Amino acid sequence: MDTHAILSAVLIVCIIGLICGVVLVVASTFMAVPKDQKEEDIRALLPGANCGACGFSGCDGYAAAMAKGEAQPGLCAPGGAAVAKAISDYLGVGGGNIEEKVACVQCFGNNDNTVNKVNYEGIDRCSAANLVAGGSASCSYGCLGVGDCVRACQYGAISVCNGAAVVDTTRCVGCTMCSKVCPRHLITMVPKKRQAVNHCMNCDKGADTNKVCKVGCIGCGKCVKVCPKEAITIENFRAKVDPEKCVGCGLCTKECPRHCLTLMLVPKKAAPVAKS
Ligand code: SF4
Ligand code: SF4
């Protein structure tokens, strides 16, 4: 191939590129979708976690819905009350109240309290471990300890300690990402207030629970009898606390022979800083 032919080919490619560039610039100028300033302002007030806890595809979707008047301001869990109030003030509407919640792992089945029935050495995911004979844990309701929740949390608020997941309530912003990925459905969101929580989800009869865990709820009902607010019921052989009724007096936690009922205390300070 001679030099003239090569130069001609390069020139043709450059001209085509130039024409395409001009067409794109013209198209972006005349066909641009005008920005909605209200939507942009609301988006700037959101924390940008893109967790989906609000029920929308992310912060952009939630901001767009609020700008159109299709969503209330109080749905952003990571933003909490402060963001809800800021958006309510901006929009001049109510609905900025938000009940702040934190994640709670309802299992104390660490390596001291339970014994693994097998050693799992497969894919490093709880979802995978759960599919292999129901996981390695002797309790079929208990924490698998492989840390899917740890990987899901953008705030470094969960760690696996001694074989079971534990939440740092000072860091948790209540975004629900951890609870969505737990294959055992062990992580529930509880109101950020002093209250009793049952850290056991085992629904087997007490005798069976006793065989697999030292701290599993056996549904003995001692907590039910002592609670002055009738906040506890026994359902499927385990104690269930109604956070609406519980006043956090702690009488039940002192009575529980299994130490699976504990008082959840209000976190002293929050550190809602997403991992980079
Ligand atoms: S709480 Fe759930 S996701 Fe987290 S380590 Fe335990 S089983 Fe896995
Ligand atoms: S902390 Fe007090 S009010 Fe709450 S469930 Fe226990 S006994 Fe009832």
Side-chain angles (χ1 to χ4, degrees), residues 214-223 252-261:
K214 289 182 196 164
V215 291
C217 179
I218 53 174
C220 66
K222 290 189 174 185
C223 50
C252 56
T253 64
K254 290 178 189 139
E255 203 66 26
C256 177
R258 307 289 289 182
H259 310 294
C260 54
L261 270 178

Side-chain angles (χ1 to χ4, degrees), residues 2 6 10 14 34 62 115 122-123 129 138 142 154 161 187 236 260 262 267:
D2 62 22
I6 292 172
V10 170
C14 288
Y62 184 34
V115 177
I123 299 167
S138 51
Q154 296 179 46
C161 297
I187 306 177
N236 296 322
C260 54
T262 63

Side-chain angles (χ1 to χ4, degrees), residues 194-197 223 226-232 241-242 245-253 261-263:
R194 185 182 166 95
Q195 67 191 289
V197 175
C223 50
V226 79
C227 178
K229 299 293 178 185
E230 298 184 350
I232 309 180
V241 181
D242 181 346
K245 292 183 179 172
C246 176
V247 292
C249 67
L251 290 173
C252 56
T253 64
L261 270 178
T262 63
L263 264 188

